[in-house]
């Protein structure tokens, strides 16, 4: 067994984060997701919203939770990666499982401390997401069906995203910023539709390369495309439900982001080959969440 000098570990972890976590993607996603969810939760009550210190604690907590889950995924996918992705850091030895677990422990302690300083409820809510992620890793190791059947795997793994959204909303409720009601459920459904649109889009293609885990392999390209477009439509429907009664046409501005999946669906079906247009899927997430955050600032 090769022992890595302690001073080298932070550098190895840094290289892992830059390659496998891609801060420009995950940090942007976590930031926009929290701002959109928190801002909308406050704005639908008719109250003006501005980011606060608590907002940034939530942003940091969600981003670090996403990093924790990414490190966990790297370990649970090791057997698959040895065959299909031999250049991954854990396979090549650029990072070790022990180093990743140590980093995960530090993340859990930091995030718990940040949230415990605000309230026990916040700490318990974010820890629930960590605990569910660990439970999933154990479940996939013991269940080939959960590990290998894409739709079943999604049904079992998606709740970790829901728990992170629930942490943001539950933190607002615990702080007395909002009152829990049906609007909270609609906002979480909106975020679920945005995420699931992107998730299906990135795993939908006319052809399945060896080792690829695509939803279109089981559903077929056309049905997978319909599901992908359906989630985008669901996000728009949730926005209409939440904001149409507030009077200003500008309140529905985030719905314009639906043009991206509409065009992508048409292009994908007309092409008859290749993957779902990834730029459109990413653009839908960014445009929707950015527009929701801006809307919350400008139109309470």
């Amino acid at each position: 067994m090769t022992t890595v000098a302690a001073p080298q570990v932070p550098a190895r972890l840094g290289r892992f984060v830059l390659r496998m976590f891609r801060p420009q993607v995950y940090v942007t996603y976590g930031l926009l997701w929290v701002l959109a969810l928190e801002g909308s939760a406050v704005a639908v009550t008719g109250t003006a919203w501005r980011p606060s210190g608590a907002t940034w604690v939530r942003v940091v907590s969600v981003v670090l939770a996403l990093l924790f889950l990414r490190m966990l995924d790297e370990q649970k996918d090791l057997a698959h990666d040895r065959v299909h992705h031999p250049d991954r850091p854990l396979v090549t030895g650029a990072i070790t499982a022990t180093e990743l677990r140590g980093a995960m422990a530090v993340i859990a302690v930091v995030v718990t401390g940040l949230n415990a300083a605000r309230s026990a409820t916040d700490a318990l809510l974010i820890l629930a997401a960590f605990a569910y992620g660990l439970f999933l890793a154990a479940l996939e190791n013991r269940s080939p069906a959960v590990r290998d059947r894409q739709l079943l795997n999604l049904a079992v793994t998606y709740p970790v995203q829901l728990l992170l959204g629930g942490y943001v909303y539950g933190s607002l409720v615990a702080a007395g910023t909002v009152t829990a009601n049906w609007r909270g459920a609609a906002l979480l459904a909106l975020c679920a539709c945005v995420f699931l649109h992107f998730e299906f889009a990135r795993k939908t293609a006319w052809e399945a390369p060896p080792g690829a885990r695509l939803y279109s392999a089981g559903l077929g390209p056309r049905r997978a495309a319909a599901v992908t477009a359906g989630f985008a439509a669901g996000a728009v429907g949730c926005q209409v439900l939440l904001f149409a009664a507030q009077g200003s046409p500008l309140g529905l501005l985030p719905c314009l982001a639906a043009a991206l999946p509409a065009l992508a669906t048409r292009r994908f079906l007309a092409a008859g080959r290749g993957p779902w247009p990834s730029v459109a899927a990413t653009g839908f997430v960014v445009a929707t969440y950015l527009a929701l955050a801006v809307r919350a600032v400008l139109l309470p």
Side-chain angles (χ1 to χ4, degrees):
M1 178 181 294
T2 302
T3 302
V4 179
Q8 297 180 26
V9 174
R12 288 158 63 88
L13 287 168
R15 288 190 291 270
F16 172 87
V17 169
L18 289 174
R19 180 179 173 188
M20 302 307 300
F21 187 66
R22 293 177 296 163
Q24 70 274 22
V25 175
Y26 285 89
V27 174
T28 300
Y29 171 72
L31 171 67
L32 292 179
W33 181 18
V34 174
L35 295 182
L37 177 52
E38 178 180 320
S40 297
V42 175
V44 294
T45 68
T47 304
W49 172 78
R50 295 293 183 274
S52 64
T55 305
W56 302 118
V57 170
R58 295 176 189 118
V59 169
V60 170
S61 297
V62 167
V63 170
L64 288 178
L66 293 174
L67 177 56
F68 178 99
L69 295 169
R70 184 67 199 85
M71 290 176 167
L72 187 60
D73 283 346
E74 192 73 5
Q75 295 169 71
K76 70 182 180 64
D77 292 341
L78 180 58
H80 181 269
D81 290 341
R82 282 191 175 123
V83 177
H84 301 289
H85 302 287
D87 61 334
R88 291 283 178 88
L90 196 55
V91 179
T92 63
I95 198 77
T96 68
T98 299
E99 290 163 355
L100 289 178
R101 288 168 190 160
M104 289 166 61
V106 171
I107 289 171
V109 169
V110 169
V111 171
T112 302
L114 281 173
N115 285 278
R118 289 190 44 75
S119 78
T121 299
D122 288 16
L124 290 173
L125 287 171
I126 195 68
L127 282 174
F130 288 147
Y132 192 76
L134 294 171
F135 163 74
L136 287 176
L139 180 62
E140 288 191 33
N141 283 334
R142 289 167 173 75
S143 173
V146 171
R147 183 173 61 246
D148 299 329
R149 292 170 56 185
Q150 280 297 99
L151 292 175
L152 176 60
N153 183 267
L154 177 63
V156 173
T157 59
Y158 174 71
V160 74
Q161 289 276 335
L162 189 61
L163 285 170
L164 286 176
Y167 153 73
V168 174
Y169 188 77
S171 177
L172 292 169
V173 173
T177 306
V178 301
T179 302
N181 55 32
W182 67 269
R183 291 184 178 88
L187 279 169
L188 293 177
L190 191 166
C191 293
C193 287
V194 170
F195 172 83
L196 290 170
H197 168 77
F198 178 78
E199 171 68 11
F200 266 82
R202 74 187 185 94
K203 295 182 179 180
T204 292
W206 286 95
E207 307 88 14
R213 294 172 168 176
L214 302 181
Y215 300 118
S216 52
L219 292 174
R222 293 184 181 278
R223 280 194 293 176
V227 172
T228 303
F231 280 122
V236 173
C238 289
Q239 292 177 60
V240 172
L241 177 65
L242 285 163
F243 306 126
Q246 290 192 291
S248 173
L250 292 177
L252 294 177
L253 186 63
C255 295
L256 294 179
L260 291 169
L263 292 172
T265 303
R266 180 178 177 182
R267 177 179 174 184
F268 178 80
L269 294 175
R273 59 186 175 85
W276 185 278
S278 59
V279 173
T282 303
F284 177 68
V285 176
V286 172
T288 299
Y289 282 160
L290 183 59
L292 285 170
V294 170
R295 180 203 177 282
V297 171
L298 298 180
L299 295 170

